[in-house]
Amino acid sequence: MSKLGVVEDTLFVPMLGRIYASERYPQILYDQKSLELKKKLSSGLLEYGDQNQYTLLASATRAANMDRYIRSFLQRRPNGVIVQLGCGLETAYYRGDNGRTCWYAVDLLRVIKYRQELLPEPERETYFAGDAFSENWIKQIRTDAPDAPILVTASGLFHYFEESKVLELLQMLRQFGEVEVVFDAVSSSGMAMMRKKYMRQVGHADAQMFFHVDSAEELAKKVNTNTKILADESYYSAIPKKDLLLSTKVCMAVSDRLRMVKMIHLRI
């Protein structure tokens, strides 16, 4: 199996969360594919390190939230296209495929090569090696499916880029027909907390973070006056919390009360 150096462990942070939830809290998320992959990976890649229940379930919650948006989109638009930007080792296809839609997984070349080794391309998911912020992938999709509605997901991606870069991407997508975008975002106070505590606990204290959203309305205006907010919800609002540690419940409640992390769904 090829080596990715420092990139490798970042790919496994969300997978660890999905494995943790699947084994202990399947009511939050059950991911059979990640459990299958666990059997193939070395124990060194599966260590939780300084992570606690809250940080592990934060990753699982992101996946569970994205699954809900994907299911809802496919119920409305069963012939639509799902695009996962910065896909890493995400396994949403195996949890949410409806048997007819086309999926695209976009990431850098070395990540896609590594993904292909662990997760060979399934029947209707196409891997695209390239920059998530370029227009190459969307041009390819419009060549393959000129008129299909598209849902673009960006899980844990935008935080690490300047707002101007995120806005350029969203504005660029307006040129390509019917496109919806769903992503997780932190507020300015949420970003401060992530920089101080969360990133250290998941082993990436040196990661640079920039993009935050205090107002979905203001962000939508910056994209375009016609951009519509389809959802702006607290991160943990749809997550069952029974049997979780009290400390985890408190952290989730504080995050939601202060709107520190949220899910945003836009129609561009």
Side-chain angles (χ1 to χ4, degrees), residues 153-170:
T153 68
S155 295
L157 176 65
F158 288 165
H159 315 308
Y160 306 105
F161 297 90
E162 297 283 359
E163 181 184 73
S164 59
K165 195 170 183 70
V166 176
L167 288 174
E168 286 175 7
L169 169 66
L170 297 177

Side-chain angles (χ1 to χ4, degrees), residues 46-71:
L46 297 169
E47 295 176 356
Y48 293 141
D50 293 330
Q51 290 206 69
N52 55 29
Q53 184 185 77
Y54 175 69
T55 60
L56 287 161
L57 290 182
S59 293
T61 295
R62 180 190 297 126
N65 283 334
M66 286 298 180
D67 285 358
R68 286 191 298 107
Y69 285 103
I70 290 171
R71 285 195 300 268

Side-chain angles (χ1 to χ4, degrees), residues 191-204:
M191 176 162 286
M193 182 61 68
M194 286 186 72
R195 286 171 173 166
K196 179 180 179 181
K197 188 174 182 180
Y198 176 80
M199 296 307 292
R200 174 179 56 80
Q201 288 179 313
V202 299
H204 301 289

Side-chain angles (χ1 to χ4, degrees), residues 93-261:
Y93 170 88
Y94 301 93
R95 300 190 303 271
D97 181 51
N98 65 358
R100 58 194 291 189
T101 195
C102 293
W103 295 63
Y104 290 80
V106 181
D107 215 317
L108 300 176
L109 176 61
R110 59 180 179 170
V111 176
I112 289 296
K113 286 184 175 180
Y114 191 68
R115 178 182 175 87
Q116 287 171 330
E117 295 182 40
L118 284 178
L119 293 164
E121 282 187 4
E123 181 182 2
R124 283 178 313 284
E125 186 171 43
T126 300
Y127 295 173
F128 190 97
D131 182 357
F133 291 87
S134 78
E135 60 182 22
N136 294 334
W137 58 268
I138 187 71
K139 284 184 174 179
Q140 180 61 57
I141 292 170
R142 278 305 179 217
T143 299
D144 299 342
D147 303 314
I150 297 173
L151 176 66
V152 177
T153 68
S155 295
L157 176 65
F158 288 165
H159 315 308
Y160 306 105
F161 297 90
E162 297 283 359
E163 181 184 73
S164 59
K165 195 170 183 70
V166 176
L167 288 174
E168 286 175 7
L169 169 66
L170 297 177
Q171 290 162 352
M172 177 270 289
L173 292 177
R174 294 186 59 249
Q175 307 169 39
F176 293 93
E178 184 179 344
V179 180
E180 299 177 20
V181 183
V182 60
F183 57 94
D184 55 306
V186 296
S187 66
S188 52
S189 60
M191 176 162 286
M193 182 61 68
M194 286 186 72
R195 286 171 173 166
K196 179 180 179 181
K197 188 174 182 180
Y198 176 80
M199 296 307 292
R200 174 179 56 80
Q201 288 179 313
V202 299
H204 301 289
D206 296 331
Q208 296 292 308
M209 303 180 70
F210 304 98
F211 179 73
H212 64 273
V213 179
D214 287 323
S215 167
E217 291 78 9
E218 290 301 316
L219 176 67
K221 290 177 183 177
K222 291 178 182 179
V223 177
N224 183 269
T225 54
N226 294 325
T227 298
K228 183 177 181 180
I229 301 171
L230 300 180
D232 174 16
E233 65 175 9
S234 299
Y235 193 69
Y236 298 104
S237 59
I239 301 302
K241 302 172 181 66
K242 182 180 179 181
D243 299 327
L244 300 185
L245 295 174
L246 177 59
S247 59
T248 298
K249 292 180 180 178
V250 169
C251 288
M252 289 179 172
V254 170
S255 176
D256 280 359
R257 180 69 180 270
L258 300 180
R259 301 276 289 166
M260 296 174 74
V261 193

